[in-house]
Amino acid sequence: MNTSSVITIDLFNKFTGQETLNPLVGLADLSGDKLSEDLRMPCNFYALICRPDENGMQTSLRLVNPGEMFEIPAAFHRDTKGYTGVIFHPDLLCDTPLERHIDDYPTRCSCHGALTERERQTIADCLEEIGKELHHAIDRYSSTIIVSHIGLLLNYCTRFCDYKR
């Protein structure tokens, strides 16, 4: 694959077999991914990716910043059920409290203990709310609602990893 270009939300969606519902935000769902090789490219978006370890126990939470290398593992290198998250363009955050505080969140966070079922469900619930809003017609409230859910998700993820140290 050409690694000199930049991956955008639309390109991510094309690689993973998803429809782009909003050009500024999407969910990381690899269930439709047919990549035959790992993809590693710089991205132009933020991504909060949640992945379990090989045993499915300890969850790695990573906040990727625009310009960083973003990896999409090939289908044979991963369990699609464990790779979840949200990707969002910096423009989504314009004039929001999250824009001013996005740098306050840790970029790499690996929980030092398995997430409880309740914690995993909390993450899933936040992602589900973002998904519901993505399927709603875009209006003047869409960005505000989505950014609120992303902020909530980031706060929960920070809490879950911080107290497991």
Side-chain angles (χ1 to χ4, degrees):
M1 297 231 162
N2 178 2
T3 57
S4 63
S5 58
V6 174
I7 188 168
T8 63
I9 291 171
D10 188 55
L11 191 56
F12 173 88
N13 287 337
K14 286 179 179 155
F15 285 141
T16 59
Q18 298 179 92
E19 178 184 358
T20 300
L21 301 172
N22 184 315
L24 297 179
V25 64
L27 293 178
D29 174 9
L30 299 186
S31 60
D33 174 16
K34 306 272 191 284
L35 289 175
S36 60
E37 60 184 87
D38 295 343
L39 177 69
R40 188 174 195 304
M41 299 169 68
C43 61
N44 75 343
F45 51 76
Y46 290 98
L48 178 63
I49 302 298
C50 309
R51 288 194 285 202
D53 66 9
E54 302 80 40
N55 303 321
M57 297 301 292
Q58 185 171 321
T59 297
S60 168
L61 302 168
R62 180 168 182 227
L63 178 62
V64 178
N65 289 301
E68 288 185 33
M69 294 305 278
F70 186 77
E71 298 178 26
I72 304 173
F76 62 88
H77 279 155
R78 62 168 156 73
D79 175 9
T80 58
K81 293 177 282 209
Y83 189 106
T84 61
V86 61
I87 58 178
F88 52 101
H89 194 275
D91 288 351
L92 181 74
L93 305 182
C94 285
D95 299 324
T96 68
L98 187 53
E99 179 183 37
R100 293 184 295 281
H101 297 287
I102 191 74
D103 292 332
D104 296 344
Y105 293 97
T107 55
R108 285 168 183 76
C109 180
S110 184
C111 295
H112 296 286
L115 290 178
T116 66
E117 179 57 37
R118 186 176 185 168
E119 291 166 339
R120 286 191 300 273
Q121 188 60 53
T122 298
I123 291 170
D125 290 347
C126 287
L127 292 172
E128 182 180 349
E129 291 301 318
I130 293 168
K132 286 179 191 175
E133 190 58 33
L134 285 173
H135 284 89
H136 187 280
I138 297 174
D139 60 23
R140 65 183 182 161
Y141 305 104
S142 299
S143 293
T144 303
I145 292 169
I146 290 171
V147 169
S148 294
H149 287 300
I150 290 170
L152 184 63
L153 177 62
L154 286 165
N155 288 331
Y156 275 126
C157 290
T158 302
R159 170 195 270 175
F160 297 158
C161 286
D162 190 48
Y163 79 80
K164 293 204 180 284
R165 292 179 191 263

